[in-house]
Amino acid sequence: MSHSRAPLHLAVALDGAGRHPAAWREPGARPGELFTARHWAALVAEAEAGLIDFVTFEDGLALQSASPTGHDERTDQVRGRLDAVLTAARVAPLTRHIGLVPAVAATHTEPFHISKALATLDHVSRGRAGLRIQVSGLPHEARHFGRRAAEIPADELYGEAADHVEVVRRLWDSWEDDAEIRDVATGRFVDRDKLHHIDFEGRHFKVRGPSITPRPPQGQPVVSAAAAAGAPGGAAPAYELIARSADVGYLAAPTADGTRAAVAAVRLARERAGLAADPLHLFGDLTVFLDEDTAAARGRLKRLDALAGHPYDGGGTEVFTGTPAQLADLLLERREAGLSGFRLHPGVLAHDLPALTRGLVPQLQRRGAFRRAYEADTLRGLLGLARPAGRYGARTAPDSAA
């Protein structure tokens, strides 16, 4: 069946050996390489070979744990991560087209630091950087920093994250595109009149600016946020953050009706924020276990669950087990609920990432629902998002005849 609508967008979430806690024990997982550049470079290369729009790199402020109160003391599951932004920067020179979107927790990080880190990633990747903003409401994570109350209300968490993104965006704009002169003959490297103080003062931050990093190649790297099941305060605050601050939102809705309701809630919040005219992609979040037939996929998940000692619940995402063709059917059906793309979490990266790039992608291509080549050099371009003008430059000059 041919689909004349705009092609789907696909992202892949990268985390350790895969989404399932026993993924590191599967054949091909190579647990000894999880903290090496080689591991991450190979994963992103596979995703790029499958023409995926972008990959996200998971991160956190504490060791992974099944307990909401702190470290669960388990030694049979992967614990520890590399820094997501630094990992993306390491991979960037090895890739050419795919977007690179590290996760950053706004709750305990300063927006000035994040603005220059992501601007640097955008320069290193030549315009393929994105940011996944997240909040941290866990007391044991707060105790790593010791600068604020361990219990933080959900409305404060998400309000702070929205302010964080606003500061980051203003800092990206604080250098005009042509602020760098680099004229050896005149000795002028920068036009100081084209660097701007942002003078942001809000409830959570007071930032003077300007940034120390020139404006990113994309002008504004792509900002994304998730509304996962079990998020602090429920879905509503996360929907508000997506509506106010993001270019891409990830929605965990396990049914078509639930997806329609989530999409409608975000769109309404976007309208209330006065941003209805601004483009916003909404992606469905799914964890996938793919095999040549449904029985094999379910059997593999059952075996992984036995290794983990408990059934896998998706960790806030819908869980799909089946074939690439069946997954293609589901994605096209779910698109009708208002989604423009999907972020897929491979249950086992060694197995399910190639099943996505070599199985799902050809299925979608045959149905006219996915690209056959990269058609843009930047992440904004891949997502059909225009490069925004800087907010501080090129103000209208007074009429000289007045």
Side-chain angles (χ1 to χ4, degrees):
M1 181 171 61
S2 176
H3 292 261
S4 59
R5 292 182 50 181
L8 282 173
H9 296 286
L10 292 180
V12 170
L14 303 180
D15 188 12
R19 186 78 165 178
H20 197 285
W24 70 278
R25 300 173 68 177
E26 280 287 273
R30 298 179 179 175
E33 297 182 9
L34 291 183
F35 301 116
T36 67
R38 175 182 175 181
H39 170 74
W40 296 97
L43 294 176
V44 179
E46 178 66 34
E48 187 170 60
L51 307 178
I52 301 299
D53 290 76
F54 61 90
V55 293
T56 60
F57 301 85
E58 295 302 303
D59 209 342
L61 300 175
L63 289 174
Q64 301 95 316
S65 176
S67 169
T69 61
H71 185 37
D72 58 12
E73 306 300 331
R74 293 191 70 148
T75 59
D76 63 333
Q77 297 178 5
V78 171
R79 295 294 182 258
R81 287 187 173 104
L82 300 181
D83 182 90
V85 176
L86 294 179
T87 301
R90 174 64 181 86
V91 170
L94 307 178
T95 56
R96 295 183 58 191
H97 301 288
I98 194 166
L100 306 168
V101 182
V104 171
T107 310
H108 301 293
T109 56
E110 293 296 325
F112 191 91
H113 294 154
I114 299 309
S115 73
K116 68 186 184 72
L118 266 294
T120 299
L121 177 59
D122 208 43
H123 281 285
V124 170
S125 66
R126 298 184 179 181
R128 293 181 286 117
L131 166 66
R132 184 169 87 80
I133 201 75
Q134 55 188 17
V135 302
S136 170
L138 300 175
H140 63 280
E141 293 190 351
R143 287 193 287 271
H144 285 318
F145 300 89
R147 295 188 298 176
R148 61 195 302 178
E151 299 287 347
I152 307 171
D155 59 346
E156 182 175 342
L157 286 173
Y158 285 98
E160 179 182 54
D163 279 1
H164 193 287
V165 173
E166 180 62 20
V167 173
V168 167
R169 288 191 183 277
R170 292 189 188 194
L171 286 167
W172 285 336
D173 282 348
S174 64
W175 286 55
E176 295 184 36
D177 289 319
D178 57 351
E180 299 165 83
I181 301 171
R182 304 178 185 178
D183 190 333
V184 174
T186 63
R188 296 184 71 206
F189 185 85
V190 67
D191 184 341
R192 188 60 184 82
D193 290 337
K194 295 188 177 183
L195 273 61
H196 302 276
H197 298 296
I198 71 168
D199 291 325
F200 180 91
E201 186 169 352
R203 177 181 174 188
H204 304 282
F205 304 104
K206 184 177 181 179
V207 180
R208 173 73 164 152
S211 176
I212 66 168
T213 308
R215 193 166 191 241
Q218 294 182 100
Q220 295 269 330
V222 173
V223 176
S224 64
Y239 291 165
E240 291 287 338
L241 176 62
I242 292 169
R244 291 175 55 190
S245 303
D247 304 299
V248 177
Y250 313 111
L251 305 178
T255 66
D257 287 343
T259 299
R260 288 188 188 91
V263 168
V266 174
R267 295 293 181 192
L268 179 59
R270 186 84 161 176
E271 183 178 349
R272 288 173 175 167
L275 300 171
D278 294 347
L280 172 65
H281 283 293
L282 296 177
F283 282 29
D285 247 347
L286 291 88
T287 297
V288 299
F289 297 86
L290 300 175
D291 269 293
E292 67 277 2
D293 59 59
T294 303
R298 291 176 178 170
R300 186 161 59 90
L301 176 56
K302 184 176 180 179
R303 186 181 73 252
L304 287 163
D305 287 347
L307 290 172
H310 58 82
Y312 178 65
D313 63 3
T317 69
E318 178 182 359
V319 178
F320 174 87
T321 55
T323 68
Q326 291 168 339
L327 179 56
D329 290 339
L330 176 66
L331 300 189
L332 294 175
E333 174 189 334
R334 199 63 58 83
R335 177 172 67 172
E336 300 304 316
L339 301 175
S340 56
F342 296 87
R343 183 171 64 141
L344 305 175
H345 301 251
V348 177
L349 280 162
H351 182 105
D352 296 302
L353 177 57
L356 290 173
T357 58
R358 307 174 196 185
L360 173 66
V361 166
Q363 283 285 339
L364 292 172
Q365 288 172 331
R366 284 193 287 270
R367 306 175 197 206
F370 196 68
R371 67 170 67 86
R372 292 188 176 272
Y374 281 112
E375 298 168 346
D377 295 325
T378 68
L379 179 53
R380 294 189 73 90
L382 288 176
L383 295 173
L385 301 173
R387 186 182 189 276
R391 71 189 71 192
Y392 300 112
R395 292 186 174 88
T396 302
D399 187 347
S400 60

